[in-house]
Amino acid sequence: MAGLLRATTLVGRSRLASTLARRCIAGCLTQQSIAPSITAPARTFHTRQPCRYNYDSDVYGFRTPREYKSPDYTEEERANRNANANLVRLVHMYRVHGHRAAELDPLNFSPQEHIFQLDPKRYGLPESGNQKFDIRGILHIGEEHDPNASKTEATMDEILEHLRHAYCNRIGFEFTHIPNLSERKWFGNLVESMEKKRLAMEEKKRIFELLTRSEVFDHFMAKKFPHVKRYGLEGAESMMIVLDILFREASFAGIRDVVLCMPHRGRLNLLTDLLKYDPRAVFHKVKGNAEAPEEIPGFTGDVLSHLATTVDLDYNSKQPVHVSMIHNPSHLEAANPVALGKARAKQMYLYEGGKEQDCFIGDRVMCVQMHGDAAFCGQGVVTETLGLANLPHFTAGGSVHIIVNNQIGYTTPAMNARSSYYSSDVAKMISCPVIHVNGDFPEDVARATAIAHEYRNKFRKDVIIDLIAYRRMGHNELDEPAFTQPLMYKNIRGRKSVPKLYEEKLVKENVFADRAEIDSLRATYFAKLDQDLEDSYKFFPDADTLRAKWQEMTVATKDVTKPVTGVAEDTLKEVAVKSVQAPEGIVLHNRLKKFHVDSRLKKTAEGKALDWATAEAMAFGSLLLEGKHVRISGQDVGRGTFSQRHAMLVDQNTERTVIPLNNIRPSEQGKLEIANSSLSEFAVLGFEYGMSWETPQRLCIWEAQFGDFFNGAQIIIDTFINSGEAKWLRQSGLVMLLPHGYEGGGPEHSTARIERFLQLCDETYDMRTDRKRSVNMHVANPTTPAQYFHLLRRQLHRAYRKPLIVASPKSLLRHPMATSSLSQMTEGTHFEPVLSDPSITDPAAVQKVVFVSGKVYYELVTERTKRGLDGKIALVRVEELCPVPKEELENVIETLMWHVCAVDWTWLQEEPENQGAYTFIAPRLQQLLPQGQTLKYHGRAPSAAPATGIGKQYKAEQERVVSGIFEGM
């Protein structure tokens, strides 16, 4: 949008080609001063809250927002501000309250509010007159010959005219809540020094073409497909201007990638025009066809309003900007954290590839999140995602948020939809500026967008554009909005459209020679769409999957081999030793030194009794040495909920924090990012899913504090993790670690709700036929550190990616029986979906076979030995619940069935009968048993709550589960 902004030196565009000496924040090297006016203290956030850890340069991924410092007022300016304190108060009130007097509502539906804070008399100032006021250090009013240079004096008439034009016109600004004085000064100076230059003719024509094509598309769809819910853009066509300006400004600022998420409204308009999505594909889909080849195994497709695309847009800058519109579910705002995670992953990928060693996060990638007004203030995931914006391991360098404000949510007016003044008010929690703009005035929309981009480009922080518009139709085109909003829609239906209003403006300005040029534009685009519709009958979509970074991956089938995931013993020992090796000078906690560091070194040297945390460190470290990257996030993951991991070591005197695994072989390994997260599940899990979408060469892990805490993120699981590949052909190797086990913790600390994940799995019920395709995700409940080690490594050693749900241990983390030896993780070893009973030496002596999953196995082993029943009861561990390990189970059953005349086959679990794995595994396992045999159940009775919170009741129940299986023997 050349010509929109001609800023002063103070507010000038910060081009990436700047000569500022920068060190790459993406790589989390210690941030140093990068210019005299820009500092970034390592322990201070922009909110002035102290950073808890003094992170070392070794802490990969850590980033604190850089802080811009503008020059302070000069002595003359301070003196003038004191001398003209009343004028200072008036100007400040315009900056604070001017937006409330601005002409923001295109419907003019609410009476204009009188803002008494803007009355000069309130401050003892005249309402008009030619008296000169010294405005140095108070207000920027540009000189006639150079708007970027401020006058030193102005009359009250000039001051009020300037303030009203800057703050009370058709753009409203909220920025005085920003706690950083330098940012406030910068923003106010930008607004007040904007050059009011008219747009060039070609720029106006570009705006008009975008508006008109959007309107023509909606009219075409209404005519050709009158009964289709297309969620058109009518009333908010200026959204196209916002995105066009953003993409253009980004491309000139050096942005290579834009990650875009948006809801349904206007999606088809944007896809088919600005994002160059083939209209034939849209029409093909509208007619009931699939958006990809239907013969792809497991492909279900998605609805019309969830289509997505990627495109390179050329704005004649140094290189095109690559825009990725991600898929979205119907759950509003759920795609926001996914887009944020994908945007960060893109920037990290550039750094890890060695291509962008001199950039900050946000310099090459920008996240654009689009919202509806009702959803922005109503959906909690918005708040959770905003909360990630400036966190060191989650920031993407500033997102641009666009609220397409219809002034109504379905049929609910604002008075019933929010408690705040604006729908955008929730964003003030992260102290970002908010720019409100009247959507009926496209040129003001363009200016507002340019300002938003300028702020984001300067500070790499979030900014909000509140595009206040309206919805010409109902929630969809088949809905009648006048049932509930008759007056509002009487107003709307009597209004000319945004493109028509702008057309009339351009005709008056003689931008078009005559109306024939305008009519030709509409007719030509309509004819093109008509031809595309005709051609769509011969259109055949391709499979938009496994491209670019994913091109070496394949679609999983039943024929995909199981990888060998063992590692050379010397490498495992090297990793284990380095995982607890702190740099010289780091003072560790005495207990940590004794029970974690010294213990790991001793067990590693012996090669036995290795615990879960050691096996996990070996898995991480061995992947790093293969050039892969690992990221684990969640609440307290650095230490671990159960104080088991200690992947980050903290100096007891200085709180300097280091990640030892990043120093195994620093110059020839990948990186481990330990991302302690906010107290959020929905947004953080969505963020990690977005990270996993970007590249298959990063192991992305999300760990819940306790297993069932994932339920706060159920929407991400249902609409992305579980079904993303089936709907959109997008693979993900995300791992979810969900601590699980009945240990008296009560209803909310006992279970990972395994039954919910198994219910979501698309495993076949018929075990007698060959599986024709792979399942949508894997669910495992490993019982040994070695099994866990292999599961983690398997995620990056297969030729495809699937989500992995792990019921991870709690008490087993330090259980003396739940350990592994190095030999179980060395070369030639791999994950075993089923573990047969190692104590059974004579199958003919077996009287009962008990299938079990998880930590209760060890309790059963102890009880069996206590009763002297070793060798008589076979305890078979099902380590992987989905896909059902059919062949492995058949082998175990076949080994036992031929030696036993009357075997009792039982599934035992700690969980209630209506929970856990039983309802999933029983009908499938039953088919594998010998003919005439019935699988019995042993465990807790059905229950509404997962577990009791009464201590003595828990003990009695657990005793019945463990001891009851041996009764009568």
Side-chain angles (χ1 to χ4, degrees):
M1 199 63 195
L4 278 182
L5 293 177
R6 296 292 183 268
T8 64
T9 301
L10 176 64
V11 299
R13 179 174 288 108
S14 177
R15 292 295 187 189
L16 292 176
S18 166
T19 56
L20 292 177
R22 301 182 178 183
R23 296 189 69 188
C24 183
I25 286 298
C28 308
L29 303 177
T30 303
Q31 197 166 341
Q32 301 176 352
S33 176
I34 59 176
S37 62
I38 301 178
T39 60
R43 293 177 59 87
T44 306
F45 288 107
H46 73 289
T47 52
R48 303 302 185 201
Q49 294 298 316
C51 178
R52 185 57 186 154
Y53 294 107
N54 185 10
Y55 275 66
D56 191 69
S57 62
D58 187 42
V59 179
Y60 179 75
F62 183 85
R63 186 262 187 192
T64 53
R66 58 183 173 183
E67 184 176 341
Y68 171 87
K69 288 189 178 298
S70 62
D72 197 4
Y73 297 111
T74 64
E75 289 187 15
E76 292 80 4
E77 288 173 337
R78 285 197 297 270
N80 185 54
R81 287 172 65 85
N82 288 332
N84 290 282
N86 287 343
L87 182 59
V88 170
R89 293 171 64 197
L90 175 65
V91 171
H92 180 65
M93 286 298 103
Y94 265 91
R95 291 168 179 163
V96 174
H97 297 290
H99 61 92
R100 295 169 58 194
E103 302 170 19
L104 300 177
D105 183 5
L107 301 179
N108 294 314
F109 209 61
S110 301
Q112 189 69 45
E113 182 181 4
H114 174 67
I115 311 301
F116 63 85
Q117 292 93 337
L118 307 183
D119 187 350
K121 293 187 295 183
R122 184 176 177 84
Y123 310 103
L125 296 170
E127 293 183 274
S128 62
N130 294 320
Q131 178 187 349
K132 294 279 188 176
F133 288 85
D134 190 333
I135 61 173
R136 289 176 298 168
I138 300 174
L139 178 65
H140 183 108
I141 299 179
E143 296 279 8
E144 291 295 329
H145 65 280
D146 182 8
N148 295 322
S150 180
K151 295 180 178 180
T152 58
E153 292 183 328
T155 66
M156 182 55 64
D157 286 341
E158 290 175 318
I159 290 171
L160 291 177
E161 180 184 7
H162 186 71
L163 288 172
R164 288 164 184 162
H165 193 84
Y167 293 109
C168 304
N169 207 334
R170 293 184 288 264
I171 307 176
F173 302 96
E174 293 185 89
F175 64 95
T176 56
H177 58 280
I178 299 175
N180 187 296
L181 174 61
S182 293
E183 285 186 42
R184 294 198 305 273
K185 285 182 64 179
W186 182 94
F187 200 96
N189 190 281
L190 175 64
V191 171
E192 292 160 17
S193 64
M194 278 188 358
E195 183 180 353
K196 307 307 186 296
K197 179 180 177 180
R198 296 179 60 182
L199 299 182
M201 185 176 296
E202 290 306 312
E203 292 173 316
K204 293 185 177 185
K205 285 188 174 181
R206 169 71 174 174
I207 290 174
F208 176 71
E209 288 171 2
L210 287 170
L211 295 173
T212 301
R213 287 201 298 265
S214 178
E215 184 175 54
V216 170
F217 178 82
D218 279 326
H219 290 174
F220 181 87
M221 292 293 289
K223 180 178 180 180
K224 302 294 184 177
F225 304 102
H227 302 298
V228 170
K229 297 178 182 179
R230 54 188 163 80
Y231 303 101
L233 195 54
E234 292 147 299
E237 289 92 346
S238 289
M239 181 196 85
M240 302 290 287
I241 310 306
V242 176
L243 291 166
D244 188 48
I245 299 300
L246 269 184
F247 297 157
R248 180 170 182 171
E249 290 293 298
S251 71
F252 281 98
I255 295 292
R256 295 184 178 182
D257 286 277
V258 173
V259 180
L260 169 68
C261 65
M262 70 176 297
H264 45 282
R265 186 160 312 285
R267 194 179 184 98
L268 297 182
N269 305 64
L270 179 61
L271 277 168
T272 55
D273 187 2
L274 199 54
L275 299 188
K276 303 179 181 179
Y277 191 82
D278 194 335
R280 296 177 302 163
V282 172
F283 301 145
H284 181 79
K285 178 68 175 174
V286 170
K287 291 181 288 188
N289 300 306
E291 60 271 34
E294 296 182 47
E295 62 270 18
I296 297 176
F299 175 62
T300 65
D302 204 348
V303 298
L304 184 66
S305 54
H306 296 170
L307 295 175
T309 192
T310 60
V311 64
D312 289 324
L313 300 179
D314 189 354
Y315 286 97
N316 295 318
S317 59
K318 288 184 178 180
Q319 65 181 38
V321 59
H322 184 76
V323 179
S324 302
M325 175 195 277
I326 70 168
H327 294 275
N328 68 299
S330 291
H331 293 72
L332 295 173
E333 310 294 336
N336 300 355
V338 179
L340 188 65
K342 184 175 174 68
R344 179 177 171 101
K346 278 183 175 291
Q347 183 72 66
M348 297 299 283
Y349 180 84
L350 290 174
Y351 173 76
E352 291 158 355
K355 301 174 183 178
E356 296 291 336
Q357 297 293 315
D358 61 344
C359 65
F360 290 97
I361 278 187
D363 283 356
R364 296 289 186 266
V365 183
M366 180 172 70
C367 182
V368 177
Q369 301 175 39
M370 301 190 66
H371 317 271
D373 52 311
F376 192 79
C377 59
Q379 293 292 317
V381 68
V382 173
T383 306
E384 289 190 36
T385 306
L386 287 169
L388 302 179
N390 296 317
L391 298 185
H393 291 283
F394 294 87
T395 179
S399 295
V400 178
H401 300 264
I402 305 163
I403 302 174
V404 180
N405 194 333
N406 296 314
Q407 306 190 65
I408 192 170
Y410 211 134
T411 66
T412 304
M415 63 177 291
N416 293 332
R418 63 175 186 265
S419 298
S420 58
Y421 191 84
Y422 293 113
S423 62
S424 57
D425 283 347
V426 66
K428 293 179 182 177
M429 63 174 277
I430 60 168
S431 304
C432 68
V434 181
I435 303 172
H436 310 277
V437 60
N438 189 323
D440 259 10
F441 297 89
E443 293 180 15
D444 290 289
V445 171
R447 290 191 178 93
T449 305
I451 292 171
H453 177 268
E454 187 77 3
Y455 174 85
R456 187 267 173 198
N457 195 43
K458 183 73 173 179
F459 297 101
R460 298 294 186 264
K461 294 180 182 179
D462 288 32
V463 61
I464 311 293
I465 300 173
D466 182 17
L467 178 65
I468 302 175
Y470 57 89
R471 191 185 65 195
R472 184 166 289 277
M473 303 297 178
H475 176 68
N476 60 68
E477 288 72 24
L478 309 185
D479 187 45
E480 176 47 73
F483 289 156
T484 50
Q485 278 76 39
L487 297 182
M488 182 182 196
Y489 274 85
K490 181 179 180 181
N491 182 327
I492 290 172
R493 286 165 177 167
R495 296 179 59 78
K496 293 180 180 178
S497 69
V498 176
K500 285 290 186 182
L501 289 173
Y502 194 58
E503 174 186 314
E504 292 177 357
K505 179 179 183 296
L506 297 189
V507 169
K508 289 179 181 178
E509 294 176 359
N510 296 317
V511 172
F512 293 102
D514 52 49
R515 298 198 64 88
E517 187 176 352
I518 296 173
D519 295 338
S520 174
L521 173 64
R522 293 180 181 276
T524 300
Y525 193 58
F526 194 96
K528 177 192 177 301
L529 293 174
D530 214 14
Q531 184 60 53
D532 287 333
L533 177 58
E534 180 66 27
D535 294 343
S536 69
Y537 290 94
K538 297 173 288 185
F539 179 81
F540 296 98
D542 63 354
D544 179 20
T545 185
L546 303 180
R547 296 176 177 174
K549 303 181 185 79
W550 290 80
Q551 61 186 345
E552 295 182 2
M553 295 291 107
T554 185
V555 176
T557 69
K558 63 173 183 174
D559 299 318
V560 174
T561 57
K562 299 174 183 176
V564 174
T565 48
V567 177
E569 183 174 326
D570 290 346
T571 301
L572 292 177
K573 287 185 174 181
E574 178 188 9
V575 169
V577 170
K578 289 293 184 71
S579 71
V580 289
Q581 193 174 86
E584 185 178 352
I586 293 287
V587 179
L588 299 180
H589 194 285
N590 290 334
R591 283 162 52 195
L592 186 66
K593 175 77 166 58
K594 178 179 180 180
F595 295 108
H596 182 73
V597 176
D598 293 345
S599 174
R600 179 170 296 181
L601 293 175
K602 178 177 181 294
K603 292 176 181 178
T604 299
E606 296 171 349
K608 58 184 180 181
L610 300 171
D611 59 23
W612 293 75
T614 301
E616 180 185 76
M618 289 176 172
F620 289 173
S622 58
L623 288 171
L624 298 179
L625 290 178
E626 294 168 1
K628 310 285 198 305
H629 302 281
V630 179
R631 173 185 165 96
I632 180 169
S633 87
Q635 297 145 24
D636 314 300
V637 294
R639 190 203 75 167
T641 298
F642 309 102
S643 196
Q644 84 283 6
R645 180 171 291 120
H646 296 289
M648 47 183 263
L649 300 179
V650 181
D651 187 280
Q652 295 301 295
N653 296 325
T654 65
E655 288 196 355
R656 176 188 173 196
T657 303
V658 295
I659 310 295
L661 279 174
N662 283 332
N663 278 324
I664 307 171
R665 303 175 201 164
S667 63
E668 50 185 280
Q669 68 169 88
K671 292 292 187 179
L672 168 63
E673 184 171 10
I674 301 293
N676 284 330
S677 77
S678 63
L679 200 65
S680 157
E681 286 80 35
F682 194 160
V684 174
L685 182 58
F687 184 98
E688 300 309 322
Y689 183 81
M691 289 281 294
S692 74
W693 253 4
E694 179 56 23
T695 171
Q697 301 307 320
R698 178 184 286 109
L699 178 62
C700 294
I701 303 171
W702 178 76
E703 181 176 60
Q705 276 191 326
F706 287 90
D708 57 353
F709 285 11
F710 76 83
N711 54 20
Q714 191 68 53
I715 288 174
I716 294 295
I717 295 165
D718 289 347
T719 61
F720 286 98
I721 296 173
N722 158 62
S723 56
E725 185 176 5
K727 294 187 295 187
W728 310 317
L729 303 178
R730 294 292 182 268
Q731 293 187 9
S732 166
L734 180 67
V735 177
M736 294 179 64
L737 300 181
L738 308 176
H740 175 83
Y742 281 60
E743 298 160 2
E748 279 78 53
H749 290 82
S750 297
T751 175
R753 291 287 193 177
I754 294 173
E755 67 280 357
R756 292 189 181 176
F757 292 98
L758 293 175
Q759 182 191 40
L760 293 173
C761 291
D762 61 354
E763 174 66 289
T764 179
Y765 277 92
D766 190 353
M767 292 286 105
R768 292 163 296 191
T769 60
D770 289 336
R771 186 183 291 118
K772 302 211 184 316
R773 56 181 171 78
S774 179
V775 294
N776 57 327
M777 60 185 179
H778 290 238
V779 180
N781 193 359
T783 56
T784 73
Q787 289 282 80
Y788 178 50
F789 167 88
H790 289 299
L791 275 173
L792 292 177
R793 285 185 50 79
R794 188 181 74 172
Q795 281 298 96
L796 294 192
H797 276 266
R798 295 187 292 197
Y800 60 90
R801 297 292 178 261
K802 292 284 182 180
L804 171 64
I805 315 302
V806 180
S808 53
K810 296 185 294 183
S811 63
L812 290 193
L813 291 168
R814 296 179 177 84
H815 198 294
M817 297 173 67
T819 61
S820 297
S821 65
L822 272 177
S823 62
Q824 294 171 308
M825 293 178 274
T826 53
E827 292 170 309
T829 58
H830 56 82
F831 176 72
E832 299 285 356
V834 175
L835 293 178
S836 58
D837 195 329
S839 71
I840 301 300
T841 58
D842 181 11
V846 174
Q847 300 174 23
K848 181 181 289 188
V849 178
V850 178
F851 296 97
V852 65
S853 186
K855 69 95 178 171
V856 72
Y857 163 78
Y858 294 102
E859 296 174 63
L860 294 171
V861 169
T862 302
E863 184 68 18
R864 182 179 65 181
T865 301
K866 176 182 173 184
R867 290 172 177 258
L869 295 174
D870 288 342
K872 296 181 180 180
I873 296 184
L875 301 175
V876 179
R877 282 172 282 175
V878 182
E879 300 279 286
E880 188 162 45
L881 296 163
C882 184
V884 173
K886 175 186 173 183
E887 292 79 9
E888 291 83 357
L889 285 170
E890 285 178 329
N891 291 338
V892 170
I893 293 169
E894 184 177 358
T895 300
L896 296 170
M897 65 181 286
W898 295 112
H899 299 277
V900 184
C901 297
V903 172
D904 185 274
W905 308 85
T906 302
W907 175 268
L908 182 147
Q909 65 179 33
E910 297 180 290
E911 300 89 348
E913 187 175 3
N914 60 320
Q915 299 171 38
Y918 175 66
T919 55
F920 174 85
I921 200 74
R924 295 171 172 88
L925 183 53
Q926 176 64 57
Q927 299 173 52
L928 305 180
L929 296 182
Q931 189 171 3
Q933 298 292 319
T934 301
L935 182 69
K936 297 179 181 178
Y937 167 78
H938 183 80
R940 285 176 168 80
S943 173
T948 178
I950 303 169
K952 63 181 180 180
Q953 186 174 329
Y954 160 75
K955 292 180 180 178
E957 289 179 354
Q958 195 71 2
E959 175 68 20
R960 285 195 295 269
V961 170
V962 175
S963 300
I965 195 68
F966 302 104
E967 295 299 327
M969 297 188 66

